Amino acid sequence: MITLEDFDTYPDFPVEGILFYDIAPILASPERFREACIQLMPPRDARVDIVAGVDARGFIFAPVVAQTLDVGMAMVRKAGKMPGVDLLESSTEIEYGSRDLAVSAGSIEGRHVLVIDDVLATGGTARAVAQMLERGGAASVRFSFLIEIGDLPGREALDGYAVSSVVVV
């Protein structure tokens, strides 16, 4: 079971006032990495046609979950890093700046999407991803996070979506 003790923490990173939860110790341990991927899985009765990993740390876990579910993976990338012409884009403010994202529309149209990311904080990025996927015709969107900062409004920002988190601090 992944717990708060599995993360290293760094106060005031990347800016003052942010407590950064580092996933490096989880990645360094095959047992912890395997357990994290298991805990990121959706409930057995959840319909998932594709897993979307959010750039960059969601990319680490999403392919393992997708392979386990025997579905494909879509990449939600930083804007300007995704090739192609059939792109959906979104922009949002996050705790310490802004974030521009893109996804290939053809990868999610009509599909039930499980979005995986490392941290749910204010919910700005996740909400922007959900809205972008819905604009692209996703049949449904649900979320799975490695860590959720419970004192911040992330879960409220995702009201109406299925949300699960491995660790809530």
Side-chain angles (χ1 to χ4, degrees):
M1 181 103 171
I2 299 298
T3 67
L4 185 58
E5 289 75 33
D6 291 311
F7 298 86
D8 285 339
T9 56
Y10 296 92
D12 298 322
F13 183 83
V15 296
E16 189 172 333
I18 300 291
L19 178 60
F20 185 84
Y21 291 89
D22 187 9
I23 64 172
I26 293 169
L27 300 177
S29 164
E31 295 82 13
R32 282 191 232 140
F33 179 70
R34 184 179 309 105
E35 181 61 28
C37 290
I38 290 168
Q39 289 184 258
L40 285 165
M41 295 289 289
R44 291 192 192 277
D45 63 345
R47 182 162 178 199
V48 175
D49 300 320
I50 194 158
V51 175
V54 179
D55 198 348
R57 289 177 295 274
F59 285 4
I60 298 168
F61 301 97
V64 176
V65 172
Q67 184 179 38
T68 303
L69 293 173
D70 197 27
V71 300
M73 185 195 146
M75 296 183 294
V76 177
R77 301 214 47 202
K78 294 174 182 140
K81 300 291 184 182
M82 177 73 79
V85 294
D86 185 26
L87 298 179
L88 298 165
E89 295 185 351
S90 185
S91 183
T92 188
E93 294 297 316
I94 59 173
E95 296 82 4
Y96 42 86
S98 63
R99 190 155 192 207
D100 299 321
L101 301 166
V103 67
S104 171
S107 66
I108 51 91
E109 186 175 0
R111 295 188 176 182
H112 298 272
V113 184
L114 170 63
V115 178
I116 294 184
D117 205 357
D118 63 332
V119 176
L120 174 60
T122 63
T125 297
R127 184 74 181 177
V129 168
Q131 292 169 343
M132 181 174 59
L133 296 175
E134 289 171 340
R135 275 196 329 270
S140 68
V141 179
R142 67 181 309 118
F143 291 90
S144 190
F145 298 96
L146 193 56
I147 191 164
E148 178 179 343
I149 313 300
D151 291 342
L152 295 175
R155 194 165 283 259
E156 291 82 21
L158 297 176
D159 189 40
Y161 296 97
V163 177
S164 65
S165 301
V166 173
V167 175
V168 178
V169 294

